Amino acid sequence: MRPMTVGIQFCGGCNPRIDRGQIALEIEKALVDMGFDVVFNSPDADFVVFLSGRLSGCAFKYNPKDPPYVTVAAATVDGVEVPAERIVPEVLMKVRQFYERLETEIRKKDVNVLVQLDRIKDKLTRRFRITSATDVPGSACSKQRLFASP
């Protein structure tokens, strides 16, 4: 399975109120350490951090797709004002929360598939009265029993 990709999308940089470059470097380092791939200004990402220097949130305005995202606009994260030193931890928390929810959904789907497979197995067992692997026609166990010397 490929690592998940997080994109960092910048605004044009007019009149920034935060150091977007430093924030991006800190986010990139932390995400890479967590096992994510990081791309910059690319729409090809599983999750995007829109990093704008002003409250207008320009980085988000040029979004060609609709991926899951977090928006940093000046000293706000998803519209909530935070101290400058908390921007990176808040963004990382949002990314982690998204992937934890995603993993939970995948696990639920996996469990549902296993439950469905168990139901199918039960139906087949009842229908063909299969009690063990040696009873399955064509299985390796039944062939060994047929060709075993008396």
mmCIF file of all heavy atoms in Angstrom, residues 101-117:
data_model
loop_
_atom_site.group_PDB
_atom_site.id
_atom_site.type_symbol
_atom_site.label_atom_id
_atom_site.label_comp_id
_atom_site.label_asym_id
_atom_site.label_seq_id
_atom_site.Cartn_x
_atom_site.Cartn_y
_atom_site.Cartn_z
ATOM 1 N N ARG A 101 -9.796 8.681 11.282
ATOM 2 C CA ARG A 101 -11.179 8.412 10.858
ATOM 3 C C ARG A 101 -11.191 7.524 9.627
ATOM 4 O O ARG A 101 -12.001 6.604 9.515
ATOM 5 C CB ARG A 101 -11.914 9.725 10.566
ATOM 6 C CG ARG A 101 -12.406 10.444 11.792
ATOM 7 C CD ARG A 101 -13.393 11.563 11.462
ATOM 8 N NE ARG A 101 -12.959 12.464 10.415
ATOM 9 C CZ ARG A 101 -12.256 13.576 10.593
ATOM 10 N NH1 ARG A 101 -11.895 13.925 11.811
ATOM 11 N NH2 ARG A 101 -11.918 14.339 9.576
ATOM 12 N N LEU A 102 -10.290 7.777 8.702
ATOM 13 C CA LEU A 102 -10.205 6.974 7.488
ATOM 14 C C LEU A 102 -9.864 5.521 7.814
ATOM 15 O O LEU A 102 -10.486 4.598 7.294
ATOM 16 C CB LEU A 102 -9.158 7.578 6.536
ATOM 17 C CG LEU A 102 -9.062 7.011 5.149
ATOM 18 C CD1 LEU A 102 -10.363 7.197 4.389
ATOM 19 C CD2 LEU A 102 -7.928 7.692 4.391
ATOM 20 N N GLU A 103 -8.889 5.310 8.690
ATOM 21 C CA GLU A 103 -8.520 3.950 9.100
ATOM 22 C C GLU A 103 -9.684 3.244 9.780
ATOM 23 O O GLU A 103 -9.918 2.061 9.554
ATOM 24 C CB GLU A 103 -7.314 3.984 10.043
ATOM 25 C CG GLU A 103 -6.006 4.231 9.346
ATOM 26 C CD GLU A 103 -4.818 4.234 10.307
ATOM 27 O OE1 GLU A 103 -5.031 4.082 11.540
ATOM 28 O OE2 GLU A 103 -3.696 4.372 9.826
ATOM 29 N N THR A 104 -10.424 3.965 10.620
ATOM 30 C CA THR A 104 -11.580 3.378 11.298
ATOM 31 C C THR A 104 -12.622 2.935 10.283
ATOM 32 O O THR A 104 -13.177 1.835 10.385
ATOM 33 C CB THR A 104 -12.184 4.391 12.293
ATOM 34 O OG1 THR A 104 -11.180 4.734 13.243
ATOM 35 C CG2 THR A 104 -13.391 3.817 12.999
ATOM 36 N N GLU A 105 -12.887 3.771 9.284
ATOM 37 C CA GLU A 105 -13.849 3.412 8.244
ATOM 38 C C GLU A 105 -13.387 2.178 7.467
ATOM 39 O O GLU A 105 -14.184 1.295 7.159
ATOM 40 C CB GLU A 105 -14.055 4.583 7.282
ATOM 41 C CG GLU A 105 -14.827 5.733 7.890
ATOM 42 C CD GLU A 105 -14.901 6.937 6.963
ATOM 43 O OE1 GLU A 105 -14.685 6.776 5.745
ATOM 44 O OE2 GLU A 105 -15.172 8.041 7.467
ATOM 45 N N ILE A 106 -12.101 2.116 7.162
ATOM 46 C CA ILE A 106 -11.564 0.963 6.429
ATOM 47 C C ILE A 106 -11.702 -0.297 7.273
ATOM 48 O O ILE A 106 -12.100 -1.347 6.776
ATOM 49 C CB ILE A 106 -10.093 1.216 6.024
ATOM 50 C CG1 ILE A 106 -10.044 2.290 4.941
ATOM 51 C CG2 ILE A 106 -9.425 -0.077 5.562
ATOM 52 C CD1 ILE A 106 -8.646 2.803 4.638
ATOM 53 N N ARG A 107 -11.385 -0.200 8.567
ATOM 54 C CA ARG A 107 -11.520 -1.371 9.446
ATOM 55 C C ARG A 107 -12.965 -1.843 9.509
ATOM 56 O O ARG A 107 -13.232 -3.039 9.508
ATOM 57 C CB ARG A 107 -11.005 -1.042 10.845
ATOM 58 C CG ARG A 107 -9.509 -1.019 10.931
ATOM 59 C CD ARG A 107 -9.044 -0.952 12.370
ATOM 60 N NE ARG A 107 -7.625 -0.689 12.392
ATOM 61 C CZ ARG A 107 -7.073 0.406 12.884
ATOM 62 N NH1 ARG A 107 -7.821 1.330 13.438
ATOM 63 N NH2 ARG A 107 -5.776 0.575 12.853
ATOM 64 N N LYS A 108 -13.910 -0.895 9.597
ATOM 65 C CA LYS A 108 -15.326 -1.276 9.629
ATOM 66 C C LYS A 108 -15.706 -2.012 8.358
ATOM 67 O O LYS A 108 -16.421 -3.016 8.399
ATOM 68 C CB LYS A 108 -16.208 -0.032 9.788
ATOM 69 C CG LYS A 108 -16.231 0.528 11.178
ATOM 70 C CD LYS A 108 -17.132 1.745 11.248
ATOM 71 C CE LYS A 108 -17.118 2.372 12.621
ATOM 72 N NZ LYS A 108 -17.933 3.603 12.641
ATOM 73 N N LYS A 109 -15.223 -1.533 7.223
ATOM 74 C CA LYS A 109 -15.519 -2.194 5.956
ATOM 75 C C LYS A 109 -14.894 -3.581 5.933
ATOM 76 O O LYS A 109 -15.511 -4.536 5.463
ATOM 77 C CB LYS A 109 -15.020 -1.362 4.777
ATOM 78 C CG LYS A 109 -15.861 -0.131 4.538
ATOM 79 C CD LYS A 109 -15.346 0.679 3.378
ATOM 80 C CE LYS A 109 -16.173 1.943 3.206
ATOM 81 N NZ LYS A 109 -15.654 2.805 2.157
ATOM 82 N N ASP A 110 -13.654 -3.701 6.438
ATOM 83 C CA ASP A 110 -12.992 -5.009 6.490
ATOM 84 C C ASP A 110 -13.779 -5.974 7.361
ATOM 85 O O ASP A 110 -13.954 -7.133 7.017
ATOM 86 C CB ASP A 110 -11.558 -4.881 7.027
ATOM 87 C CG ASP A 110 -10.603 -4.245 6.031
ATOM 88 O OD1 ASP A 110 -10.982 -4.113 4.843
ATOM 89 O OD2 ASP A 110 -9.486 -3.875 6.442
ATOM 90 N N VAL A 111 -14.271 -5.503 8.510
ATOM 91 C CA VAL A 111 -15.055 -6.352 9.408
ATOM 92 C C VAL A 111 -16.340 -6.774 8.706
ATOM 93 O O VAL A 111 -16.735 -7.937 8.773
ATOM 94 C CB VAL A 111 -15.353 -5.613 10.737
ATOM 95 C CG1 VAL A 111 -16.419 -6.340 11.536
ATOM 96 C CG2 VAL A 111 -14.088 -5.462 11.549
ATOM 97 N N ASN A 112 -16.986 -5.841 8.002
ATOM 98 C CA ASN A 112 -18.217 -6.183 7.282
ATOM 99 C C ASN A 112 -17.953 -7.245 6.226
ATOM 100 O O ASN A 112 -18.763 -8.154 6.036
ATOM 101 C CB ASN A 112 -18.832 -4.939 6.636
ATOM 102 C CG ASN A 112 -19.455 -4.020 7.659
ATOM 103 O OD1 ASN A 112 -19.802 -4.444 8.758
ATOM 104 N ND2 ASN A 112 -19.596 -2.765 7.305
ATOM 105 N N VAL A 113 -16.826 -7.154 5.539
ATOM 106 C CA VAL A 113 -16.480 -8.161 4.531
ATOM 107 C C VAL A 113 -16.265 -9.512 5.196
ATOM 108 O O VAL A 113 -16.749 -10.537 4.717
ATOM 109 C CB VAL A 113 -15.221 -7.732 3.731
ATOM 110 C CG1 VAL A 113 -14.675 -8.885 2.903
ATOM 111 C CG2 VAL A 113 -15.539 -6.533 2.849
ATOM 112 N N LEU A 114 -15.566 -9.524 6.324
ATOM 113 C CA LEU A 114 -15.335 -10.785 7.041
ATOM 114 C C LEU A 114 -16.648 -11.397 7.524
ATOM 115 O O LEU A 114 -16.839 -12.611 7.445
ATOM 116 C CB LEU A 114 -14.384 -10.570 8.217
ATOM 117 C CG LEU A 114 -12.933 -10.244 7.847
ATOM 118 C CD1 LEU A 114 -12.130 -9.921 9.102
ATOM 119 C CD2 LEU A 114 -12.300 -11.391 7.084
ATOM 120 N N VAL A 115 -17.553 -10.567 8.009
ATOM 121 C CA VAL A 115 -18.860 -11.063 8.454
ATOM 122 C C VAL A 115 -19.607 -11.667 7.274
ATOM 123 O O VAL A 115 -20.202 -12.749 7.380
ATOM 124 C CB VAL A 115 -19.676 -9.934 9.117
ATOM 125 C CG1 VAL A 115 -21.130 -10.333 9.305
ATOM 126 C CG2 VAL A 115 -19.047 -9.549 10.450
ATOM 127 N N GLN A 116 -19.580 -11.000 6.134
ATOM 128 C CA GLN A 116 -20.251 -11.522 4.941
ATOM 129 C C GLN A 116 -19.633 -12.847 4.501
ATOM 130 O O GLN A 116 -20.338 -13.784 4.130
ATOM 131 C CB GLN A 116 -20.199 -10.504 3.803
ATOM 132 C CG GLN A 116 -21.078 -9.294 4.051
ATOM 133 C CD GLN A 116 -20.902 -8.224 2.987
ATOM 134 O OE1 GLN A 116 -20.060 -8.328 2.114
ATOM 135 N NE2 GLN A 116 -21.717 -7.184 3.080
ATOM 136 N N LEU A 117 -18.299 -12.944 4.555
ATOM 137 C CA LEU A 117 -17.627 -14.194 4.183
ATOM 138 C C LEU A 117 -18.016 -15.323 5.138
ATOM 139 O O LEU A 117 -18.221 -16.458 4.701
ATOM 140 C CB LEU A 117 -16.109 -14.004 4.162
ATOM 141 C CG LEU A 117 -15.563 -13.185 3.001
ATOM 142 C CD1 LEU A 117 -14.064 -12.949 3.173
ATOM 143 C CD2 LEU A 117 -15.834 -13.874 1.669
#
